[in-house]
Amino acid sequence: MILDENKFSNLRKLLRVTAWVKRFIAKLRKKTCESGPLSAAEIKEAEEYWVRRVQLENYCSDIHLLKKNKPVPPHSKIYSLVPVRINFWIPRGRQVVKKVISECLICKKCALKPAKQLTGQLPRDRVVESPPFAVVGIDFTGTITIRAGDQSCKKVYIALFTCAVTRAVHIEVVSDMSVKSFIFALRRFLSRRGGCKIQEFISSKGVTWKFIPERAPWWGGFWERLMKSIKDPLRKILGKILLTFAELTTIMTELECVLNSRPITYETNELGEPRCLTPSQFLLPGRDHGLPEHFLEIFNKVVDRETLTRRKLYQSRLLKQLWTKWKDQYLLQLRTAHNFTNPSSERNLKSGDIVLVEGPKKSKLLWDMGVVEQVIVGRDGHVRACIVRTPKGQLRRTVQLLYPFEI
């Protein structure tokens, strides 16, 4: 019988094919054989055939000695054979299994681990003093169903603009995900909050775009966290209620005010301690503070140059105190959260590496394989993302979504 066992992916299929071939040969030789489905005896006979064949290929000289009733030499691989195993004895079984697994592509895919990289430090835009909304992160929520005028339902979205420095937020309700709707929301934001570093219309406003890689929300953690702060209250407030567009806009404006009044520094329980820092203090300096007594004359007397100068100096001093508190307390918390005493170095991916690209399916067997064509290096010199060529085209993915093959 001539069968190549290497062309079969599993033992069960090999044994069934062998049994059918042996039955066919028996019929050609006009020997007595069974008919119908394969029997357990035929499967057993096929298994014994392959056991003998494998033994003959690997232990031919030892088998000849045993047939002549001669002892096996001490250097033989089956010299220490212990005939108490349940079915088979595989010499150096662990090594054989490891070798088979290492050559199996499916096993390799299932055992792959994602590439790792040292966590990067905060970007300069997050830790340098700048006016509110000078550096902004933008994100959209999923759909929110509202009630239209004719009692039908309509889907709208929420656009979040968050300041990278003061953590202030600006919320806009938009009717759809079109470019036109977003431009309108951006124009309203710029009109209310001033210019920002966010081309005809965009360039005229001094806007610079910086996009994060696809499927990497953690690259925009400072706005993703605030997105959660919007969604959680909305679920509790709305429940199953359908609001109109005006009602939803009002609620979102009130929620924006609440979020901008949240503490971004530690809130103490001591009465004598200064108040915690909030984003609204940067947006409206002095709103939450009582006016000094000498400012009462503004309401009782005619405003003159001296009183206005004094008020301006007070506001400047107040804003300076806010930024000092921001540096001493808020930045200190960020440093604690992003400080690593014993950072571990990881191997950087490089062009030409074979990787498995994480996809929407859970099974790694359904993910695409690709080749790294270009690496994207961060400010610290470490590879943070890669351009990968796959059967579906080029993809840009972070290293955490790439599973390199060990070659």
Side-chain angles (χ1 to χ4, degrees), residues 117-334:
Q117 191 52 271
L118 179 67
T119 302
Q121 297 299 318
L122 287 173
R124 179 181 176 84
D125 294 339
R126 291 285 310 275
V127 297
V128 175
E129 178 183 331
S130 62
F133 295 107
V135 181
V136 179
I138 305 175
D139 197 12
F140 274 74
T141 65
T143 58
I144 297 178
T145 304
I146 63 172
R147 188 175 69 252
D150 55 354
Q151 301 302 318
S152 61
C153 294
K154 180 183 178 181
K155 293 181 179 180
V156 296
Y157 302 84
I158 296 174
L160 170 67
F161 301 81
T162 176
C163 177
V165 178
T166 64
R167 310 297 286 119
V169 300
H170 178 91
I171 300 174
E172 291 284 345
V173 181
V174 295
S175 57
D176 53 54
M177 293 284 285
S178 65
V179 175
K180 183 178 179 180
S181 296
F182 172 71
I183 292 297
F184 284 153
L186 182 61
R187 289 174 62 180
R188 293 193 295 269
F189 164 73
L190 293 175
S191 299
R192 294 173 183 172
R193 301 300 183 181
C196 63
K197 298 177 186 176
I198 310 215
Q199 131 166 332
E200 212 124 331
F201 164 76
I202 299 296
S203 300
S204 65
K205 295 295 183 179
V207 176
T208 301
W209 290 102
K210 294 181 180 179
F211 295 98
I212 65 174
E214 297 81 352
R215 300 180 182 273
W218 59 89
W219 277 45
F222 77 88
W223 63 75
E224 291 290 349
R225 179 60 185 88
L226 287 175
M227 189 61 74
K228 181 178 184 296
S229 299
I230 293 176
K231 292 179 179 178
D232 288 349
L234 272 185
R235 293 190 185 101
K236 299 173 183 177
I237 294 172
L238 300 183
K240 297 181 180 180
I241 300 176
L242 293 180
L243 302 178
T244 63
F245 190 88
E247 291 171 338
L248 180 61
T249 303
T250 302
I251 288 180
M252 296 312 302
T253 304
E254 294 173 343
L255 181 56
E256 174 189 306
C257 180
V258 172
L259 291 177
N260 284 333
S261 300
R262 77 192 188 281
I264 59 175
T265 58
Y266 183 71
E267 178 76 53
T268 63
N269 295 323
E270 302 296 333
L271 295 178
E273 292 294 327
R275 296 184 58 185
C276 59
L277 202 61
T278 65
S280 61
Q281 295 173 359
F282 295 95
L283 298 177
L284 298 171
R287 189 190 70 171
D288 297 333
H289 297 74
L291 293 176
E293 292 184 0
H294 59 270
F295 281 157
L296 294 177
E297 61 191 52
I298 294 177
F299 305 101
N300 300 326
K301 299 180 181 180
V302 178
V303 177
D304 56 14
R305 181 182 181 88
E306 183 182 355
T307 56
L308 290 177
T309 302
R310 198 182 310 151
R311 181 175 179 83
K312 177 61 177 177
L313 291 175
Y314 168 74
Q315 289 182 337
S316 300
R317 185 167 62 252
L318 179 62
L319 189 59
K320 184 178 180 180
Q321 291 174 356
L322 287 176
W323 283 114
T324 301
K325 193 173 183 179
W326 177 83
K327 292 179 181 178
D328 295 340
Q329 297 183 22
Y330 175 69
L331 282 187
L332 182 63
Q333 293 178 353
L334 291 182

Side-chain angles (χ1 to χ4, degrees), residues 41-143:
E42 289 177 304
I43 299 295
K44 183 66 175 178
E45 183 182 355
E47 182 182 46
E48 291 177 353
Y49 164 79
W50 281 109
V51 170
R52 293 192 183 96
R53 176 170 168 174
V54 171
Q55 290 177 342
L56 188 62
E57 290 177 355
N58 293 274
Y59 311 110
C60 181
S61 58
D62 297 325
I63 291 175
H64 287 313
L65 290 175
L66 292 173
K67 285 182 177 180
K68 296 178 181 179
N69 293 325
K70 294 183 179 181
V72 177
H75 58 79
S76 173
K77 294 181 179 179
I78 63 173
Y79 181 78
S80 59
L81 178 66
V82 180
V84 292
R85 295 294 174 110
I86 297 177
N87 290 320
F88 307 107
W89 172 282
I90 302 178
R92 301 173 60 86
R94 286 176 296 183
Q95 291 83 346
V96 173
V97 170
K98 287 181 179 180
K99 182 181 179 181
V100 172
I101 292 177
S102 65
E103 296 175 353
C104 175
L105 182 59
I106 295 178
C107 297
K108 284 183 178 181
K109 287 185 176 181
C110 293
L112 287 180
K113 301 295 181 182
K116 296 181 179 180
Q117 191 52 271
L118 179 67
T119 302
Q121 297 299 318
L122 287 173
R124 179 181 176 84
D125 294 339
R126 291 285 310 275
V127 297
V128 175
E129 178 183 331
S130 62
F133 295 107
V135 181
V136 179
I138 305 175
D139 197 12
F140 274 74
T141 65
T143 58

Side-chain angles (χ1 to χ4, degrees), residues 342-373:
N342 295 313
S344 58
S345 59
E346 305 290 346
R347 185 184 77 86
N348 282 327
L349 292 174
K350 61 183 183 298
S351 298
D353 283 352
I354 308 297
V355 296
L356 197 64
V357 183
E358 183 174 330
K361 304 292 185 180
K362 290 186 176 181
S363 175
K364 294 179 181 178
L365 302 180
L366 302 177
W367 296 353
D368 292 327
M369 291 180 61
V371 180
V372 176
E373 290 192 335

